[in-house]
Amino acid sequence: MAHEVVGRIEEIGPELAALAEENEKLGKLSDKTVALLRSAGVIRLLQPKEYGGYEAHPRDFAETVMAVASHDGAAGWVSGVVGVHPWELAQLDSRLAHEVWDEDPDTWIASPYMPNGIADPVEGGYVLSGRWPFSSGSDHCSWDFLGALVGDGKGKPAGPISVLHVVLPRSDYEIIDGTWDVIGLSGTGSKDVVVNGAFVPEYRTIRQELVTEGAAAEAVGLTETLYKLPFSAMFPLGITAAVVGICEGALALHLGQQRERVAVTGVQVRDDPYVLYAAGEAAAEIAASRVQLIDGISRLYDQVEAGRPITIEDRANVRRNQVRCAWRAVSALDDIFTRSGGNAIRHGNPLQRYWRDAHVGLQHMIHVPGTAYHADALAQMGLELPESMRVLI
């Protein structure tokens, strides 16, 4: 049974689609789009019930992100990225959750997790400085998750390397306008953020490896299965779901446009076996991507629910398949886009935006196949993964 939030997205889908072009021109989500997402409860799916969330199965989260992205790729992308942050925030000190959600359970949190900053230890916490690109949805977020290297007290990384995820309120960082000038997913507003010497209390930080290994929940007394899943499965889930959803939306639009299209030869496209063959094959490939992505996170969830440990091979298999889901779906989109006729390339045709958004989605680091496939092969052979490969496995 579909989660109620998915049903709400289907109800407001036409409104989301109608706002997509405006979002692209704005270079961020419009206030109306954000209001629609808030009213539907998209970002609260993985949020603890204690703080006004649904504590939903990650399958429901992925399906919701796909539904949003099928109407507007940028809105789907922000839903997938911002939507996973309540899941991680639940695993930090509860004082932070109260700060973020007590007054407004619809408070959003942005992120770039890349460790582009230095967190120098001081009494009670850290002093953070750095600059981070790709903070999706930042204009509509009141907090930001940032990756940082623990410093040596002098603004340089300490050895051995230790990575923190730190959480800052909007008053402690600056969003740099003009830093999101891109060919696709323009409406995500994934701008740079800058921090200059902000104090971060210890309780607003967490060691990356605790979240990666799925061990953070136990440290704060969380018993729900949802919060025991590894970051390396949960964070990519929303992003890949957005890409798959974009491809689903593009397929539906393609089929609608081809229904009455007449080729230059005078033949109706619906009578062209080559175009229809490509459409059928693409539909199967995109559907396979959806099923495999949901299957991966569901299998991990079931393992945790049954009290069985998640091995490095389990995690590597899910990451391998998650990467493949994105590439398979976009490849299928390429096949139908090239058969959509010359009008598909016009700015007024939303199909070209879906196509651009999908390809930009593949540029995210979690969709780089080389490391994921390499690591998975090593894991299946029972060999040790180099430390550099374990970060997102």
Side-chain angles (χ1 to χ4, degrees), residues 112-173:
Y113 285 108
M114 187 181 299
N116 274 26
I118 300 294
D120 278 323
V122 295
E123 185 177 354
Y126 302 86
V127 172
L128 178 70
S129 294
R131 179 169 182 149
W132 294 259
F134 309 122
S135 185
S136 297
S138 53
D139 288 289
H140 302 286
C141 295
S142 303
W143 295 75
D144 217 321
F145 259 112
L146 301 172
L149 298 173
V150 175
D152 61 1
K154 300 177 182 178
K156 300 293 183 182
I161 294 295
S162 179
V163 179
L164 294 175
H165 291 176
V166 303
V167 189
L168 277 74
R170 180 67 185 83
S171 57
D172 286 353
Y173 60 90

Side-chain angles (χ1 to χ4, degrees), residues 170-286:
R170 180 67 185 83
S171 57
D172 286 353
Y173 60 90
E174 179 184 2
I175 300 171
I176 309 299
D177 287 327
T179 54
W180 187 238
D181 183 15
V182 290
I183 64 170
L185 292 176
S186 300
T188 63
S190 303
K191 303 173 183 178
D192 291 14
V193 297
V194 173
V195 178
N196 289 310
F199 173 69
V200 185
E202 178 78 34
Y203 71 87
R204 291 183 188 163
T205 72
I206 190 167
R207 292 189 354 250
Q208 179 173 272
E209 61 265 28
L210 284 177
V211 190
T212 300
E213 299 292 334
E218 184 178 355
V220 294
L222 285 174
T223 59
E224 295 80 5
T225 298
L226 172 65
Y227 302 111
K228 296 179 181 179
L229 291 165
F231 178 84
S232 55
M234 288 296 292
F235 177 62
L237 178 66
I239 296 173
T240 303
V243 171
V244 173
I246 290 168
C247 295
E248 290 180 329
L251 174 65
L253 184 61
H254 167 80
L255 292 172
Q257 292 180 353
Q258 301 311 303
R259 183 181 176 87
E260 303 300 333
R261 178 178 157 233
V262 178
V264 293
T265 59
V267 176
Q268 283 196 306
V269 169
R270 64 188 180 192
D271 295 325
D272 185 330
Y274 305 106
V275 173
L276 298 190
Y277 178 95
E281 185 174 57
E285 290 297 282
I286 294 169

Side-chain angles (χ1 to χ4, degrees), residues 1-3 5-6 9-10 45 57-70 237 241 245 248 290 293-294:
M1 180 178 178
H3 195 279
V5 176
V6 179
I9 293 303
E10 292 309 327
L45 274 165
H57 194 292
R59 174 192 60 241
D60 297 323
F61 171 62
E63 291 185 336
T64 301
V65 171
M66 290 178 193
V68 176
S70 71
L237 178 66
E248 290 180 329
R290 164 185 277 267
L293 182 66
I294 292 173

Side-chain angles (χ1 to χ4, degrees), residues 229-230 232-233 295-297 299-304 308-322 375-376 379-380 385 392-393:
L229 291 165
S232 55
D295 175 74
I297 197 65
R299 283 175 179 270
L300 293 185
Y301 187 96
D302 290 346
Q303 278 184 239
V304 174
R308 299 195 306 272
I310 294 176
T311 67
I312 192 70
E313 183 176 353
D314 294 330
R315 286 159 45 186
N317 287 347
V318 168
R319 276 284 285 131
R320 174 201 66 200
N321 291 344
Q322 164 258 314
D376 180 66
Q380 290 190 79
L385 270 60
L392 269 180
I393 297 296

